Amino acid sequence: MTTQIADLSTERKAEIKEIVCDILELELDEVTDVSLFKEEHDADSLRTIEILASMERNFGLVLEQAELSRMVNLAGVYAVVAEAEGK
């Protein structure tokens, strides 16, 4: 998983973080790669679905809803996007 995260460019990670922070209504400096969306940022499941849909829309990806269980923090979102882009 970590090798796939490394495959994302700094610019792509910044884009993803900006999208996630916008959806969660947080400032960029409030979210780290490992801070948990639900537990630390009070995100509900609808926000996670919105993050998945935004990744699909913004990057032209098709993501399975099963990936939602991995998208608990930025590192998880990075991994899901990297894997989808690698296919």
Side-chain angles (χ1 to χ4, degrees):
M1 186 163 110
T2 50
T3 55
Q4 290 164 332
I5 292 173
D7 288 344
L8 287 178
S9 68
T10 303
E11 294 80 18
R12 177 67 86 202
K13 286 182 181 179
E15 286 179 84
I16 291 169
K17 185 172 183 174
E18 194 171 311
I19 292 165
V20 168
C21 287
D22 187 51
I23 291 168
L24 299 180
E25 299 177 358
L26 298 168
E27 297 298 322
L28 292 173
D29 61 353
E30 293 181 84
V31 179
T32 68
D33 287 356
V34 295
S35 62
L36 300 172
F37 298 152
K38 181 179 179 182
E39 291 81 353
E40 296 176 53
H41 303 299
D42 298 322
D44 59 20
S45 57
L46 290 177
R47 300 267 186 189
T48 308
I49 292 168
E50 194 175 342
I51 290 168
L52 182 138
S54 291
M55 294 303 117
E56 289 182 322
R57 203 171 35 254
N58 285 287
F59 304 125
L61 302 172
V62 175
L63 302 173
E64 299 296 322
Q65 289 225 346
E67 298 294 1
L68 288 171
S69 64
R70 295 175 53 209
M71 297 173 67
V72 296
N73 56 23
L74 278 176
V77 177
Y78 295 156
V80 168
V81 170
E83 289 169 17
E85 288 181 338
K87 291 181 181 178

